[in-house]
Amino acid sequence: MKSPQEKPLILDKKTALVKAESWCAYQERSQQEVRNKLYDWQLKPNEVEEIIGELIVNNFLNEERFALAYASGKANIKKWGRLKIKQGLKLKKVPDKLIQKALNSLDGDKYFEDLCQAVLKKEKTLTEKDPFKKKYKLLNYLMGKGYEKDLIFLVLKANNLSE
């Protein structure tokens, strides 16, 4: 009997390819995510690279499309800042050129509006009376969401939250 931690063993490359195609069709994936998944299925390195090559040729895997979808989703749904999005893409081993392209694809006005909304929303939840401590808490929160310091200060100043 298999232990619960043991991964399923996929023996042939053809089955792995079909499963990987289905997995990639469900949502955009980075090459590294697919590579990790194939290694989880205990495939040999040369099989993994062959499958990744086939997925790219058949357009199931496209690093640029993944980077654009990732950046757009994290910015629009999770309201992440550019720094956190960039870090997430780096962790998925996306090339720097594609990371830059994905970040440039974000709508600057919407991004700034999201930052303003985040400031106002967080400011309402803070009970801190000391303006310096309040500013510090807002700054930490927004930096944690991945927004750039200069933009944060600009928004804090515009909302009379900086001393």
Side-chain angles (χ1 to χ4, degrees):
M1 191 168 170
K2 287 185 179 180
S3 69
Q5 289 93 345
E6 207 172 309
K7 300 275 188 235
L9 187 61
I10 296 176
L11 295 174
D12 68 309
K13 200 176 92 176
K14 197 170 189 164
T15 308
L17 177 62
V18 170
K19 278 188 71 118
E21 285 176 349
S22 163
W23 194 61
C24 290
Y26 176 71
Q27 90 180 33
E28 292 296 338
R29 311 280 180 188
S30 71
Q31 284 185 26
Q32 192 58 43
E33 287 174 311
V34 175
R35 191 171 279 116
N36 293 345
K37 179 64 84 175
L38 295 171
Y39 281 122
D40 283 351
W41 292 342
Q42 300 176 5
L43 291 163
K44 295 180 184 78
N46 62 330
E47 292 175 325
V48 167
E49 294 311 315
E50 284 175 31
I51 290 173
I52 286 178
E54 283 193 49
L55 291 170
I56 291 169
V57 167
N58 296 328
N59 211 17
F60 281 98
L61 197 56
N62 181 319
E63 202 86 313
E64 181 178 341
R65 198 174 58 208
F66 167 76
L68 292 170
Y70 183 93
S72 155
K74 297 302 182 191
N76 297 330
I77 296 163
K78 294 214 175 217
K79 307 297 182 202
W80 282 8
R82 286 188 185 100
L83 300 177
K84 193 167 182 173
I85 293 169
K86 181 178 182 177
Q87 191 59 38
L89 287 168
K90 277 189 177 293
L91 288 172
K92 294 191 182 293
K93 296 188 175 21
V94 173
D96 288 340
K97 192 175 87 181
L98 294 180
I99 291 175
Q100 206 48 57
K101 187 171 186 172
L103 293 175
N104 291 341
S105 75
L106 299 176
D107 178 348
D109 294 337
K110 173 130 178 35
Y111 182 79
F112 192 74
E113 181 60 33
D114 288 342
L115 172 57
C116 292
Q117 292 302 316
V119 168
L120 297 174
K121 187 175 175 186
K122 184 64 178 176
E123 201 252 338
K124 286 178 187 168
T125 68
L126 294 177
T127 56
E128 188 60 60
K129 298 289 179 235
D130 182 335
F132 290 107
K133 287 182 182 175
K134 189 175 204 173
K135 177 183 170 187
Y136 178 76
K137 285 184 177 186
L138 280 168
L139 182 65
N140 266 356
Y141 170 75
L142 296 164
M143 284 176 59
K145 287 190 73 73
Y147 287 100
E148 302 90 327
K149 246 186 190 174
D150 55 338
L151 276 181
I152 295 170
F153 283 125
L154 195 69
V155 172
L156 291 178
K157 192 169 191 150
N159 287 289
N160 297 317
L161 294 167
S162 64
E163 294 298 311

